[in-house]
Amino acid sequence: MVALSTVLVFLLVLSRGESELDAKVSPPEKATEWRDPDPSLRGSCQPASSCRECILSHPSCAWCKQLNFTASGLAEERRCGRPQELLARGCPAAELEEPRGRLEVLQDEPLSPGTRGEGATQLAPLTRARRPPGEPQQLRVRFLRAEGYPVDLYYLMDLSYSMKDDLERVRQLGHDLLVRLQEVTHSVRIGFGSFVDKTVLPFVSTVPSKLRHPCPSRLERCQPPFSFHHVLSLTGDAKAFEREVGRQSVSGNLDSPEGGFDAILQAALCQERIGWRNVSRLLVFTSDDTFHTAGDGKLGGIFMPSDGHCHLDSNGLYSRSPDFDYPSVGQVAQALSSANIQPIFAVTSATLPVYQELSKLIPKSAVGELSEDSSNVVQLIVDAYNSLSSTVTLEHSPLPPGVHISYESQCGDSEKREGEAGDRGQCNHVRTNQMGLCRVWGLWDWSPGPQLQHGLCLRQRDSDFGPYPG
């Protein structure tokens, strides 16, 4: 489903037994409420022969650096122990090396919906935490779902022959769609692309006359088959949308599944050509049939996997379609996620169950039933946007070894929490201008091992929440 995802940016540097964490989070509150997320990490301080090894070995360890603390003949390991043990053996408190984490709030602006989606502060505060390995850190994030956040919507349409009636309806879509979306946001742009299938057997007929005119009747308007055609970059001009769509005509292919996955992947990868802004990004995919996926290309002698790059020529056509296999569901999901694009599958009743299963594999996607002539597409898009934009998700990118992060969500103004602590925070059915919070539990293992240096990004899906101020 489409979700409004919050912003966190963590910069992790484990060096010389310390780590630095830059996050859009706030100081810990009510630490006693938190449970240890991993009981296996509990233990006690063990002797170590150097200050570095001692501090890295366990968060409870301290090192006595007093010059003559160990008597002649005694191992240096006696300098390593729990602080109270070292103090009891005579180590002055000023001589203890006992690094502890600390938090510094860098910026904490009040949450604000802004004016018509502009200037909104939807996540706060920005905090820097410095802490040694093994010491758990509790952080708190406040969020606000602002009203009227800008939207880019790319309409991707199946132009196989069976969609002939739908094309007539879509030609009149631009104005109605803009008007309805402007009811929820002042800034909306729409674009248009179309797809059929790969132009090789057995997907389309390669008879020259059929390549020129694949439709059943020679008297009707029909264009040659193609894989994906980017027709109109995102624009706020409804007349341009209607004009370009009005120039389109249906095409034809041989088999039932269509090449929609090729089209989705290129729409996600060719961000400059499509014209995506750093706002909420919606891709509306309309079709009356299923889709080809990775491996189907072998039927046409295509064995090379999709390379995950943009391949649009000067006319907006996917030029490498005959060279690369269809992308897999995983490739499509990853490309959409990386580009912060949230798909809405508007499909007919016959294929609805297939796309409902597909939606389970693509995060933040939605499915709606399209009427036979696409007459309900505007309402379907608006309903899907309103439903999906009410979910706020706090999540992180893959973590390096030894790092554990869990979340606990508190939604709305009450003390109600949604679910147990897990690997992401989420609030559902969030109203516009409603506030909530998410507590983040972070823990670095204390195993001495090789020194780590990572840029760890728990990043915002900017298309949902917008840039964090500053």
Side-chain angles (χ1 to χ4, degrees):
M1 297 195 314
V2 178
L4 294 179
S5 300
T6 54
V7 182
L8 277 184
V9 177
F10 280 90
L11 177 62
L12 167 64
V13 179
L14 298 183
S15 178
R16 298 182 181 178
E18 293 186 333
S19 65
E20 178 169 302
L21 175 64
D22 286 322
K24 293 178 181 175
V25 292
S26 65
E29 296 189 12
K30 299 180 181 178
T32 56
E33 296 181 4
W34 286 85
R35 302 174 295 276
D36 188 339
D38 190 349
S40 67
L41 296 178
R42 302 187 186 112
S44 61
C45 182
Q46 302 296 322
S49 58
S50 70
C51 178
R52 172 189 172 85
E53 293 177 359
C54 178
I55 299 303
L56 282 175
S57 65
H58 196 273
S60 67
C61 285
W63 178 267
C64 183
K65 60 183 180 181
Q66 186 184 31
L67 183 61
N68 297 317
F69 179 66
T70 56
S72 178
L74 294 179
E76 287 290 284
E77 291 180 351
R78 288 181 56 82
R79 293 181 178 273
C80 183
R82 296 169 63 87
Q84 55 269 35
E85 296 172 354
L86 297 175
L87 292 171
R89 298 207 307 264
C91 181
E95 296 296 317
L96 283 180
E97 281 291 343
E98 186 186 7
R100 286 293 176 264
R102 60 183 184 272
L103 287 169
E104 176 188 2
V105 178
L106 303 179
Q107 182 178 343
D108 190 6
E109 295 186 1
L111 297 180
S112 170
T115 304
R116 301 181 70 189
E118 296 291 342
T121 302
Q122 301 185 84
L123 188 74
L126 172 63
T127 303
R128 175 178 292 132
R130 192 171 183 86
R131 47 168 306 284
E135 181 181 318
Q137 188 68 66
Q138 301 165 26
L139 311 165
R140 186 174 179 176
V141 180
R142 306 191 315 273
F143 65 82
L144 172 75
R145 180 191 169 195
E147 183 178 9
Y149 197 71
V151 173
D152 279 355
L153 186 149
Y154 191 72
Y155 197 96
L156 187 55
M157 185 174 182
D158 176 1
L159 283 188
S160 58
Y161 187 76
S162 57
M163 293 288 285
K164 180 181 177 181
D165 292 341
D166 302 77
L167 179 58
E168 296 301 322
R169 180 65 184 174
V170 173
R171 284 179 176 142
Q172 307 166 14
L173 179 67
H175 178 266
D176 294 342
L177 185 55
L178 279 177
V179 168
R180 291 298 304 277
L181 285 176
Q182 284 170 352
E183 295 175 1
V184 296
T185 175
H186 76 288
S187 177
V188 57
R189 301 191 310 166
I190 56 177
F192 184 81
S194 57
F195 64 91
V196 182
D197 211 337
K198 293 185 182 296
T199 55
V200 297
L201 279 173
F203 312 119
V204 304
S205 173
T206 55
V207 175
S209 60
K210 283 293 186 180
L211 282 175
R212 291 191 298 269
H213 192 97
C215 297
S217 172
R218 301 292 301 175
L219 300 178
E220 59 188 327
R221 184 180 172 191
C222 186
Q223 65 174 316
F226 55 90
S227 176
F228 165 60
H229 184 198
H230 167 53
V231 178
L232 178 67
S233 297
L234 291 158
T235 177
D237 186 353
K239 292 188 179 298
F241 182 90
E242 294 169 357
R243 181 174 61 252
E244 292 301 326
V245 176
R247 294 172 179 171
Q248 304 303 306
S249 56
V250 293
S251 185
N253 58 330
L254 293 178
D255 62 345
S256 294
E258 316 294 4
F261 273 16
D262 274 341
I264 294 175
L265 191 68
Q266 291 300 301
L269 296 172
C270 304
Q271 296 191 34
E272 291 187 6
R273 293 290 298 273
I274 303 299
W276 294 110
R277 297 177 295 173
N278 191 26
V279 300
S280 292
R281 299 174 174 181
L282 304 180
L283 185 147
V284 178
F285 178 96
T286 62
S287 180
D288 64 347
D289 221 319
T290 57
F291 44 83
H292 283 296
T293 187
D296 290 354
K298 294 179 181 180
L299 297 172
I302 303 173
F303 297 92
M304 189 178 300
S306 175
D307 67 349
H309 293 291
C310 175
H311 294 292
L312 295 186
D313 63 18
S314 58
N315 295 318
L317 293 169
Y318 176 30
S319 60
R320 300 296 300 276
S321 172
D323 303 325
F324 293 115
D325 193 7
Y326 301 97
S328 65
V329 173
Q331 283 178 302
V332 170
Q334 192 277 332
L336 290 170
S337 178
S338 296
N340 297 334
I341 297 171
Q342 302 168 81
I344 300 173
F345 297 105
V347 295
T348 53
S349 58
T351 59
L352 189 64
V354 175
Y355 284 91
Q356 287 173 334
E357 292 300 313
L358 174 65
S359 180
K360 296 177 182 178
L361 304 175
I362 300 181
K364 303 175 181 65
S365 61
V367 181
E369 183 175 346
L370 193 67
S371 62
E372 292 300 322
D373 63 352
S374 295
S375 59
N376 68 329
V377 67
V378 173
Q379 187 61 46
L380 189 156
I381 292 169
V382 172
D383 290 346
Y385 172 76
N386 289 333
S387 173
L388 299 174
S389 63
S390 65
T391 299
V392 178
T393 304
L394 181 66
E395 56 188 4
H396 56 264
S397 60
L399 302 173
V403 181
H404 308 270
I405 294 179
S406 62
Y407 304 84
E408 191 172 278
S409 305
Q410 179 180 317
C411 308
D413 301 325
S414 67
E415 291 297 321
K416 177 186 176 184
R417 292 177 183 171
E418 295 204 359
E420 298 296 328
D423 58 2
R424 71 182 205 170
Q426 181 166 304
C427 285
N428 301 309
H429 311 297
V430 180
R431 302 182 304 275
T432 55
N433 300 329
Q434 178 182 348
M435 296 185 185
L437 62 88
C438 189
R439 300 171 191 257
V440 185
W441 172 286
L443 179 65
W444 279 254
D445 282 352
W446 48 78
S447 55
Q451 290 304 294
L452 303 176
Q453 185 161 342
H454 292 283
L456 173 62
C457 179
L458 281 75
R459 52 191 167 77
Q460 172 194 13
R461 300 190 181 281
D462 289 327
S463 65
D464 302 324
F465 245 66
Y468 186 81

